[in-house]
Coordinates of all heavy atoms in Angstrom, one line a residue:
M1 N 2.4 31.2 18.8 CA 2.9 30.8 17.5 C 3.1 29.2 17.5 O 2.8 28.6 16.5 CB 4.1 31.5 17.2 CG 4.5 31.4 15.7 SD 3.3 32.2 14.7 CE 4.3 32.5 13.3
S2 N 3.7 28.7 18.5 CA 4.0 27.3 18.5 C 2.7 26.5 18.6 O 2.6 25.4 18.1 CB 4.9 26.9 19.6 OG 4.3 27.1 20.9
R3 N 1.7 27.1 19.2 CA 0.4 26.4 19.3 C -0.2 26.3 17.9 O -0.9 25.3 17.6 CB -0.5 27.3 20.2 CG -1.8 26.6 20.6 CD -2.5 27.5 21.6 NE -3.6 26.7 22.1 CZ -4.5 27.2 22.9 NH1 -4.5 28.5 23.2 NH2 -5.5 26.5 23.4
Y4 N 0.0 27.3 17.1 CA -0.5 27.2 15.7 C 0.1 26.1 14.9 O -0.5 25.3 14.2 CB -0.2 28.6 15.0 CG -0.5 28.6 13.5 CD1 -1.8 28.7 13.0 CD2 0.6 28.5 12.6 CE1 -2.0 28.7 11.7 CE2 0.3 28.5 11.2 CZ -1.0 28.6 10.8 OH -1.2 28.6 9.5
F5 N 1.5 25.9 15.1 CA 2.2 24.8 14.4 C 1.7 23.5 14.8 O 1.5 22.6 14.0 CB 3.7 25.0 14.5 CG 4.2 26.1 13.7 CD1 4.9 27.2 14.3 CD2 4.1 26.1 12.3 CE1 5.4 28.2 13.6 CE2 4.6 27.2 11.6 CZ 5.3 28.2 12.2
V6 N 1.5 23.3 16.1 CA 1.0 22.0 16.7 C -0.3 21.7 16.1 O -0.6 20.6 15.7 CB 1.0 22.1 18.2 CG1 0.3 20.9 18.8 CG2 2.5 22.2 18.7
K7 N -1.2 22.7 16.1 CA -2.6 22.5 15.6 C -2.5 22.1 14.1 O -3.2 21.2 13.7 CB -3.4 23.8 15.7 CG -4.8 23.7 15.3 CD -5.5 25.0 15.5 CE -6.9 25.0 15.0 NZ -7.7 26.2 15.1
R8 N -1.7 22.8 13.3 CA -1.5 22.4 11.9 C -1.0 21.0 11.7 O -1.5 20.3 10.8 CB -0.6 23.5 11.2 CG -1.3 24.8 10.9 CD -2.5 24.5 10.1 NE -2.8 25.7 9.4 CZ -3.9 25.9 8.6 NH1 -4.7 24.9 8.5 NH2 -4.1 27.0 8.0
I9 N 0.0 20.7 12.5 CA 0.5 19.3 12.3 C -0.5 18.3 12.7 O -0.6 17.2 12.0 CB 1.8 19.2 13.2 CG1 2.9 20.0 12.6 CG2 2.2 17.7 13.3 CD1 4.2 20.1 13.4
L10 N -1.3 18.5 13.7 CA -2.3 17.6 14.1 C -3.4 17.5 13.1 O -4.1 16.5 12.9 CB -2.9 18.0 15.5 CG -2.0 17.7 16.7 CD1 -2.6 18.2 18.0 CD2 -1.6 16.3 16.8
Q11 N -3.7 18.6 12.3 CA -4.6 18.5 11.3 C -4.1 17.8 10.0 O -4.9 17.2 9.3 CB -5.0 20.0 10.8 CG -5.9 20.7 11.8 CD -6.1 22.1 11.4 OE1 -5.4 22.7 10.6 NE2 -7.1 22.7 12.1
T12 N -2.8 17.8 9.9 CA -2.2 17.1 8.8 C -2.3 15.6 8.9 O -2.4 14.9 7.8 CB -0.7 17.5 8.6 OG1 -0.7 19.0 8.6 CG2 -0.1 16.9 7.4
I13 N -2.2 15.0 10.1 CA -2.2 13.6 10.2 C -3.5 12.9 9.6 O -3.3 12.0 8.8 CB -2.1 13.2 11.7 CG1 -0.7 13.7 12.2 CG2 -2.3 11.7 12.0 CD1 -0.5 13.6 13.7
P14 N -4.7 13.4 9.9 CA -5.9 12.7 9.3 C -5.9 12.9 7.7 O -6.3 12.1 7.0 CB -7.1 13.4 9.9 CG -6.6 14.1 11.1 CD -5.1 14.3 10.9
L15 N -5.4 14.1 7.3 CA -5.3 14.3 5.9 C -4.4 13.4 5.2 O -4.7 12.8 4.1 CB -4.8 15.8 5.6 CG -4.7 16.2 4.1 CD1 -6.0 16.1 3.4 CD2 -4.0 17.5 4.0
M16 N -3.2 13.1 5.8 CA -2.3 12.1 5.2 C -2.9 10.7 5.2 O -2.6 9.9 4.3 CB -1.0 12.2 6.0 CG -0.2 13.5 5.8 SD 0.1 13.9 4.1 CE 1.4 12.8 3.8
L17 N -3.6 10.4 6.2 CA -4.3 9.1 6.3 C -5.3 8.9 5.1 O -5.3 7.9 4.4 CB -5.0 8.9 7.6 CG -5.6 7.5 7.8 CD1 -4.6 6.4 7.8 CD2 -6.4 7.5 9.2
V18 N -6.1 10.0 4.9 CA -7.1 9.9 3.8 C -6.4 9.8 2.5 O -6.8 9.1 1.6 CB -8.0 11.2 3.9 CG1 -8.9 11.3 2.6 CG2 -8.9 11.1 5.1
I19 N -5.3 10.6 2.3 CA -4.6 10.5 1.0 C -4.0 9.2 0.8 O -4.1 8.6 -0.3 CB -3.5 11.6 1.0 CG1 -4.2 13.0 0.9 CG2 -2.5 11.4 -0.2 CD1 -3.2 14.2 1.0
S20 N -3.5 8.5 1.8 CA -2.9 7.2 1.7 C -3.9 6.2 1.3 O -3.7 5.3 0.5 CB -2.1 6.8 3.0 OG -3.0 6.5 4.0
I21 N -5.1 6.3 1.9 CA -6.2 5.4 1.6 C -6.7 5.6 0.1 O -6.9 4.6 -0.6 CB -7.4 5.6 2.5 CG1 -7.1 5.1 3.9 CG2 -8.7 4.9 2.0 CD1 -8.1 5.5 5.0
L22 N -6.7 6.8 -0.3 CA -7.1 7.1 -1.7 C -6.1 6.5 -2.7 O -6.4 5.9 -3.7 CB -7.3 8.6 -2.0 CG -8.5 9.2 -1.4 CD1 -8.5 10.7 -1.5 CD2 -9.8 8.6 -2.0
V23 N -4.8 6.7 -2.4 CA -3.7 6.2 -3.3 C -3.8 4.7 -3.3 O -3.7 4.1 -4.4 CB -2.3 6.7 -2.8 CG1 -1.2 6.0 -3.5 CG2 -2.2 8.2 -3.0
F24 N -4.0 4.0 -2.2 CA -4.1 2.6 -2.1 C -5.3 2.1 -2.9 O -5.2 1.2 -3.7 CB -4.2 2.1 -0.7 CG -4.3 0.6 -0.5 CD1 -3.2 -0.2 -0.7 CD2 -5.5 0.0 -0.3 CE1 -3.3 -1.6 -0.6 CE2 -5.7 -1.3 -0.1 CZ -4.6 -2.1 -0.3
Y25 N -6.4 2.8 -2.8 CA -7.6 2.4 -3.5 C -7.4 2.6 -5.0 O -7.8 1.7 -5.8 CB -8.8 3.3 -3.1 CG -10.0 3.1 -3.8 CD1 -10.8 1.9 -3.6 CD2 -10.5 3.9 -4.8 CE1 -12.0 1.7 -4.3 CE2 -11.7 3.7 -5.5 CZ -12.4 2.6 -5.2 OH -13.6 2.3 -5.9
L26 N -6.7 3.6 -5.5 CA -6.4 3.8 -6.9 C -5.5 2.6 -7.4 O -5.7 2.1 -8.5 CB -5.7 5.1 -7.2 CG -6.7 6.3 -7.0 CD1 -5.9 7.6 -7.2 CD2 -7.8 6.2 -8.0
F27 N -4.5 2.2 -6.6 CA -3.7 1.1 -7.0 C -4.5 -0.2 -7.1 O -4.3 -1.0 -8.1 CB -2.6 0.8 -6.0 CG -1.4 1.7 -6.1 CD1 -0.8 2.3 -5.0 CD2 -0.8 2.0 -7.4 CE1 0.3 3.2 -5.2 CE2 0.3 2.8 -7.5 CZ 0.8 3.4 -6.4
I28 N -5.5 -0.4 -6.2 CA -6.3 -1.6 -6.3 C -7.2 -1.6 -7.5 O -7.5 -2.6 -8.1 CB -7.2 -1.7 -5.0 CG1 -6.3 -1.9 -3.8 CG2 -8.2 -2.8 -5.1 CD1 -5.5 -3.2 -3.8
M29 N -7.7 -0.4 -7.9 CA -8.7 -0.2 -9.0 C -8.1 -0.3 -10.4 O -8.8 -0.3 -11.4 CB -9.5 1.0 -8.8 CG -10.4 1.1 -7.6 SD -11.4 -0.4 -7.4 CE -12.4 -0.3 -8.8
I30 N -6.7 -0.3 -10.5 CA -6.1 -0.3 -11.8 C -6.5 -1.7 -12.4 O -6.3 -2.7 -11.8 CB -4.6 -0.2 -11.7 CG1 -4.2 1.2 -11.2 CG2 -3.9 -0.5 -13.0 CD1 -2.7 1.4 -10.9
P31 N -6.9 -1.6 -13.7 CA -7.3 -2.9 -14.3 C -6.1 -3.8 -14.5 O -5.0 -3.4 -14.7 CB -8.0 -2.5 -15.6 CG -7.6 -1.1 -15.8 CD -7.2 -0.5 -14.5
G32 N -6.4 -5.1 -14.5 CA -5.4 -6.1 -14.7 C -5.0 -6.8 -13.4 O -5.3 -6.3 -12.3
D33 N -4.3 -7.8 -13.6 CA -3.8 -8.6 -12.4 C -2.3 -8.5 -12.3 O -1.5 -8.8 -13.2 CB -4.1 -10.1 -12.7 CG -3.7 -11.0 -11.5 OD1 -3.4 -10.5 -10.5 OD2 -3.8 -12.2 -11.7
P34 N -1.8 -7.8 -11.2 CA -0.4 -7.6 -11.1 C 0.4 -8.9 -11.1 O 1.6 -9.0 -11.6 CB -0.2 -6.9 -9.8 CG -1.5 -6.9 -9.1 CD -2.5 -7.3 -10.1
A35 N -0.1 -10.0 -10.5 CA 0.6 -11.3 -10.5 C 0.7 -11.8 -11.9 O 1.8 -12.3 -12.3 CB -0.1 -12.2 -9.6
R36 N -0.3 -11.7 -12.7 CA -0.2 -12.2 -14.1 C 0.8 -11.4 -14.9 O 1.5 -11.9 -15.7 CB -1.6 -12.1 -14.7 CG -1.7 -12.4 -16.2 CD -1.3 -13.8 -16.6 NE -2.3 -14.8 -16.0 CZ -2.0 -16.1 -16.1 NH1 -0.9 -16.5 -16.7 NH2 -2.9 -16.9 -15.6
T37 N 0.8 -10.0 -14.6 CA 1.7 -9.2 -15.3 C 3.2 -9.5 -15.0 O 4.0 -9.6 -15.9 CB 1.4 -7.7 -15.0 OG1 0.1 -7.4 -15.3 CG2 2.4 -6.8 -15.7
M38 N 3.4 -9.8 -13.7 CA 4.8 -10.1 -13.3 C 5.2 -11.5 -13.8 O 6.4 -11.7 -14.1 CB 4.9 -10.0 -11.8 CG 4.8 -8.6 -11.3 SD 5.1 -8.3 -9.5 CE 4.8 -9.8 -8.7
A39 N 4.3 -12.4 -13.8 CA 4.6 -13.8 -14.3 C 4.7 -13.9 -15.8 O 5.5 -14.7 -16.3 CB 3.5 -14.8 -13.8
G40 N 4.0 -13.0 -16.5 CA 4.0 -13.1 -18.0 C 2.7 -13.7 -18.5 O 2.1 -14.5 -17.7
L41 N 2.4 -13.4 -19.7 CA 1.2 -13.9 -20.3 C 1.1 -15.4 -20.5 O 0.0 -16.0 -20.4 CB 0.9 -13.2 -21.6 CG 0.7 -11.7 -21.5 CD1 0.5 -11.1 -22.9 CD2 -0.6 -11.4 -20.6
D42 N 2.2 -16.0 -20.7 CA 2.2 -17.5 -21.0 C 2.6 -18.3 -19.7 O 2.9 -19.5 -19.8 CB 3.2 -17.8 -22.1 CG 4.6 -17.3 -21.9 OD1 4.8 -16.4 -21.0 OD2 5.5 -17.7 -22.6
A43 N 2.6 -17.7 -18.5 CA 2.9 -18.4 -17.3 C 1.8 -19.3 -16.9 O 0.6 -19.1 -17.2 CB 3.2 -17.4 -16.2
E44 N 2.1 -20.4 -16.2 CA 1.1 -21.3 -15.7 C 0.4 -20.7 -14.5 O 0.9 -19.8 -13.8 CB 1.8 -22.6 -15.3 CG 2.4 -23.4 -16.5 CD 3.0 -24.7 -16.0 OE1 2.7 -25.1 -14.9 OE2 3.8 -25.2 -16.8
Q45 N -0.8 -21.2 -14.2 CA -1.6 -20.7 -13.1 C -0.9 -20.9 -11.8 O -1.0 -20.0 -10.9 CB -3.0 -21.4 -13.1 CG -4.0 -20.8 -12.1 CD -4.3 -19.4 -12.4 OE1 -4.2 -18.9 -13.5 NE2 -4.7 -18.7 -11.3
S46 N -0.2 -22.0 -11.6 CA 0.5 -22.2 -10.4 C 1.6 -21.2 -10.1 O 1.8 -20.7 -9.0 CB 1.2 -23.6 -10.4 OG 2.1 -23.7 -11.4
E47 N 2.3 -20.7 -11.2 CA 3.3 -19.6 -11.0 C 2.6 -18.3 -10.6 O 3.1 -17.6 -9.7 CB 4.0 -19.4 -12.3 CG 4.9 -20.6 -12.8 CD 5.5 -20.3 -14.1 OE1 5.9 -19.2 -14.4 OE2 5.5 -21.3 -14.9
V48 N 1.4 -18.0 -11.2 CA 0.7 -16.8 -10.8 C 0.2 -16.9 -9.4 O 0.4 -15.9 -8.6 CB -0.5 -16.6 -11.8 CG1 -1.3 -15.4 -11.4 CG2 0.0 -16.5 -13.2
E49 N -0.2 -18.0 -8.9 CA -0.7 -18.2 -7.6 C 0.5 -18.0 -6.6 O 0.3 -17.5 -5.5 CB -1.4 -19.5 -7.4 CG -2.7 -19.6 -8.0 CD -3.7 -18.6 -7.4 OE1 -3.7 -18.3 -6.2 OE2 -4.5 -18.1 -8.2
A50 N 1.7 -18.5 -7.0 CA 2.8 -18.4 -6.1 C 3.2 -16.9 -6.0 O 3.6 -16.5 -4.9 CB 4.0 -19.2 -6.7
I51 N 3.1 -16.2 -7.0 CA 3.4 -14.7 -7.0 C 2.4 -14.0 -6.1 O 2.8 -13.2 -5.3 CB 3.5 -14.1 -8.4 CG1 4.8 -14.6 -9.1 CG2 3.5 -12.6 -8.3 CD1 4.9 -14.2 -10.5
R52 N 1.1 -14.4 -6.2 CA 0.1 -13.8 -5.4 C 0.4 -14.0 -3.9 O 0.2 -13.1 -3.1 CB -1.3 -14.3 -5.8 CG -1.8 -13.7 -7.0 CD -3.3 -14.1 -7.1 NE -3.8 -13.6 -8.4 CZ -4.3 -14.4 -9.4 NH1 -4.4 -15.7 -9.1 NH2 -4.6 -13.9 -10.5
E53 N 0.8 -15.2 -3.6 CA 1.1 -15.6 -2.2 C 2.3 -14.9 -1.7 O 2.3 -14.4 -0.6 CB 1.3 -17.1 -2.1 CG 1.3 -17.6 -0.7 CD 0.0 -17.4 0.1 OE1 -1.1 -17.5 -0.5 OE2 0.1 -17.2 1.3
E54 N 3.3 -14.8 -2.5 CA 4.6 -14.2 -2.1 C 4.4 -12.7 -1.8 O 5.0 -12.2 -0.9 CB 5.6 -14.3 -3.3 CG 6.9 -13.7 -2.9 CD 7.9 -13.8 -4.1 OE1 7.7 -14.6 -5.0 OE2 9.0 -13.2 -4.0
Y55 N 3.6 -12.0 -2.6 CA 3.4 -10.6 -2.4 C 2.2 -10.2 -1.6 O 1.9 -9.0 -1.4 CB 3.3 -9.9 -3.8 CG 4.7 -9.8 -4.5 CD1 5.0 -10.8 -5.4 CD2 5.6 -8.8 -4.1 CE1 6.3 -10.7 -6.0 CE2 6.9 -8.8 -4.7 CZ 7.2 -9.7 -5.7 OH 8.4 -9.7 -6.3
G56 N 1.5 -11.2 -1.1 CA 0.3 -10.9 -0.2 C -0.9 -10.4 -1.0 O -1.8 -9.8 -0.4
L57 N -1.0 -10.8 -2.2 CA -2.2 -10.3 -3.0 C -3.4 -11.2 -2.7 O -4.5 -10.8 -3.1 CB -1.8 -10.4 -4.5 CG -0.7 -9.4 -4.9 CD1 -0.4 -9.6 -6.4 CD2 -1.1 -8.0 -4.7
N58 N -3.2 -12.3 -2.0 CA -4.4 -13.1 -1.6 C -5.0 -12.6 -0.3 O -6.0 -13.1 0.1 CB -4.0 -14.6 -1.5 CG -3.7 -15.2 -2.8 OD1 -4.2 -14.7 -3.8 ND2 -2.9 -16.2 -2.8
D59 N -4.3 -11.7 0.4 CA -4.7 -11.3 1.7 C -5.9 -10.3 1.6 O -6.1 -9.7 0.5 CB -3.6 -10.5 2.4 CG -2.4 -11.4 2.8 OD1 -2.6 -12.6 2.8 OD2 -1.3 -10.8 2.9
P60 N -6.7 -10.2 2.6 CA -7.8 -9.2 2.6 C -7.3 -7.8 2.4 O -6.1 -7.5 2.7 CB -8.5 -9.4 3.9 CG -8.0 -10.7 4.5 CD -6.7 -11.0 3.9
L61 N -8.1 -6.9 1.8 CA -7.7 -5.6 1.5 C -7.2 -4.8 2.7 O -6.2 -4.1 2.6 CB -8.8 -4.8 0.9 CG -9.1 -5.1 -0.6 CD1 -10.2 -4.3 -1.1 CD2 -7.9 -5.0 -1.4
I62 N -7.8 -5.0 3.9 CA -7.3 -4.3 5.1 C -5.9 -4.8 5.5 O -5.0 -3.9 5.9 CB -8.3 -4.5 6.3 CG1 -7.9 -3.6 7.4 CG2 -8.3 -5.9 6.7 CD1 -8.2 -2.1 7.2
V63 N -5.6 -6.0 5.3 CA -4.2 -6.5 5.6 C -3.3 -6.0 4.6 O -2.1 -5.6 4.9 CB -4.2 -8.1 5.6 CG1 -2.8 -8.6 5.7 CG2 -5.1 -8.6 6.7
Q64 N -3.7 -5.9 3.3 CA -2.8 -5.3 2.3 C -2.5 -3.9 2.6 O -1.4 -3.4 2.4 CB -3.5 -5.5 0.9 CG -3.5 -6.9 0.4 CD -4.1 -7.0 -1.0 OE1 -4.0 -6.1 -1.8 NE2 -4.8 -8.1 -1.3
Y65 N -3.6 -3.1 3.0 CA -3.4 -1.7 3.4 C -2.4 -1.5 4.5 O -1.5 -0.7 4.5 CB -4.7 -1.1 3.7 CG -4.6 0.4 4.1 CD1 -4.2 1.4 3.2 CD2 -4.7 0.8 5.4 CE1 -4.0 2.7 3.5 CE2 -4.5 2.1 5.8 CZ -4.2 3.0 4.9 OH -4.0 4.3 5.2
V66 N -2.5 -2.4 5.6 CA -1.6 -2.3 6.7 C -0.2 -2.6 6.3 O 0.7 -1.8 6.7 CB -2.1 -3.2 7.8 CG1 -1.0 -3.4 8.9 CG2 -3.4 -2.7 8.4
N67 N 0.0 -3.6 5.4 CA 1.3 -3.9 4.9 C 1.9 -2.7 4.1 O 3.0 -2.4 4.1 CB 1.3 -5.2 4.1 CG 1.1 -6.4 5.0 OD1 1.4 -6.3 6.2 ND2 0.6 -7.4 4.5
Y68 N 1.0 -2.1 3.3 CA 1.3 -0.9 2.5 C 1.8 0.2 3.3 O 2.8 0.8 3.1 CB 0.1 -0.5 1.6 CG 0.2 0.8 0.9 CD1 0.9 0.9 -0.2 CD2 -0.5 1.9 1.4 CE1 1.0 2.1 -0.9 CE2 -0.5 3.1 0.8 CZ 0.3 3.2 -0.4 OH 0.3 4.4 -1.0
M69 N 1.1 0.5 4.4 CA 1.5 1.5 5.3 C 2.8 1.2 6.1 O 3.6 2.1 6.3 CB 0.4 1.8 6.3 CG -0.8 2.5 5.7 SD -0.4 4.0 4.8 CE 0.1 5.1 6.1
K70 N 3.0 -0.1 6.4 CA 4.2 -0.5 7.1 C 5.4 -0.2 6.2 O 6.4 0.3 6.6 CB 4.2 -2.0 7.4 CG 3.4 -2.3 8.7 CD 3.6 -3.8 8.9 CE 2.6 -4.3 9.9 NZ 2.7 -5.8 10.0
R71 N 5.3 -0.6 4.9 CA 6.4 -0.3 4.0 C 6.6 1.2 3.7 O 7.7 1.6 3.5 CB 6.1 -1.0 2.6 CG 6.2 -2.5 2.7 CD 6.2 -3.2 1.3 NE 5.0 -2.9 0.6 CZ 3.9 -3.6 0.6 NH1 3.8 -4.7 1.4 NH2 2.8 -3.3 -0.1
F72 N 5.5 2.0 3.9 CA 5.7 3.4 3.7 C 6.4 4.0 4.9 O 7.2 4.9 4.8 CB 4.3 4.0 3.5 CG 4.3 5.5 3.3 CD1 4.8 6.1 2.1 CD2 3.9 6.3 4.3 CE1 4.8 7.4 2.0 CE2 4.0 7.7 4.2 CZ 4.4 8.3 3.0
V73 N 6.0 3.6 6.1 CA 6.6 4.2 7.3 C 8.0 3.6 7.6 O 8.9 4.3 8.0 CB 5.6 3.9 8.5 CG1 6.2 4.3 9.8 CG2 4.3 4.6 8.3
Y74 N 8.2 2.3 7.4 CA 9.4 1.7 7.6 C 10.0 1.1 6.3 O 10.0 -0.1 6.1 CB 9.3 0.5 8.6 CG 8.7 1.0 10.0 CD1 7.4 0.6 10.3 CD2 9.5 1.8 10.8 CE1 6.9 1.0 11.6 CE2 8.9 2.2 12.0 CZ 7.7 1.8 12.4 OH 7.1 2.2 13.6
P75 N 10.6 1.9 5.4 CA 11.0 1.4 4.1 C 12.2 0.5 4.3 O 12.5 -0.3 3.4 CB 11.4 2.7 3.4 CG 11.6 3.7 4.4 CD 10.7 3.4 5.5
E76 N 13.0 0.5 5.4 CA 14.1 -0.4 5.5 C 13.7 -1.8 5.7 O 14.5 -2.7 5.6 CB 15.0 0.1 6.7 CG 14.4 0.0 8.0 CD 13.6 1.2 8.4 OE1 13.6 2.2 7.6 OE2 13.1 1.2 9.5
T77 N 12.4 -2.1 6.0 CA 11.9 -3.5 6.1 C 11.6 -4.1 4.8 O 11.3 -5.3 4.8 CB 10.7 -3.5 7.0 OG1 9.6 -2.8 6.4 CG2 11.0 -3.0 8.4
L78 N 11.8 -3.4 3.7 CA 11.5 -4.0 2.4 C 12.6 -5.0 2.1 O 13.8 -4.8 2.4 CB 11.6 -2.9 1.3 CG 10.4 -2.0 1.2 CD1 10.7 -0.9 0.2 CD2 9.2 -2.7 0.9
E79 N 12.2 -6.1 1.5 CA 13.1 -7.2 1.1 C 13.5 -6.9 -0.3 O 12.7 -6.4 -1.1 CB 12.4 -8.5 1.2 CG 12.0 -8.9 2.6 CD 11.3 -10.3 2.6 OE1 11.4 -11.0 1.7 OE2 10.7 -10.5 3.7
E80 N 14.7 -7.3 -0.6 CA 15.2 -7.1 -2.0 C 14.6 -8.3 -2.8 O 14.6 -9.4 -2.4 CB 16.7 -7.2 -2.1 CG 17.4 -6.1 -1.4 CD 17.2 -4.8 -2.1 OE1 17.1 -4.8 -3.4 OE2 17.0 -3.7 -1.5
V81 N 13.9 -7.9 -3.9 CA 13.2 -8.9 -4.7 C 14.0 -9.1 -6.0 O 14.6 -8.2 -6.6 CB 11.8 -8.5 -5.0 CG1 11.1 -9.5 -5.9 CG2 11.1 -8.3 -3.7

């Protein structure tokens, strides 16, 4: 019986990885610029770039995904914004 549970848990790990990739992809595909939305429509370009840099939106997608997973696994590392 315990062998069954171990097998199921090991099958769950790749499934959770695929689900996390799909959720991340959906966040990326949402239309609009999150930095522009946070800065406001009348914000200057330098303000928008500063927000992109602060939140890592200029990083490659793989780096953004790794940071996304870090925040998911270790939520206490989130900084108060």
Side-chain angles (χ1 to χ4, degrees):
M1 191 68 155
S2 65
R3 191 174 192 188
Y4 172 77
F5 287 119
V6 170
K7 183 179 176 183
R8 284 301 205 184
I9 289 174
L10 290 176
Q11 288 175 345
T12 303
I13 293 171
L15 177 66
M16 296 302 287
L17 182 65
V18 169
I19 290 172
S20 72
I21 291 170
L22 288 174
V23 169
F24 180 76
Y25 179 74
L26 289 174
F27 280 134
I28 295 298
M29 294 311 296
I30 293 174
D33 183 9
R36 172 64 65 189
T37 303
M38 290 185 340
L41 295 176
D42 56 345
E44 295 181 16
Q45 187 63 26
S46 60
E47 295 174 40
V48 175
E49 288 299 323
I51 290 174
R52 281 191 190 122
E53 190 65 35
E54 179 181 351
Y55 288 98
L57 298 174
N58 289 337
D59 295 338
L61 285 180
I62 190 72
V63 173
Q64 290 182 33
Y65 176 74
V66 168
N67 290 335
Y68 169 76
M69 289 306 293
K70 280 184 196 175
R71 288 190 302 268
F72 180 73
V73 173
Y74 303 109
E76 64 272 2
T77 59
L78 286 176
E79 296 178 17
E80 292 295 324
V81 179

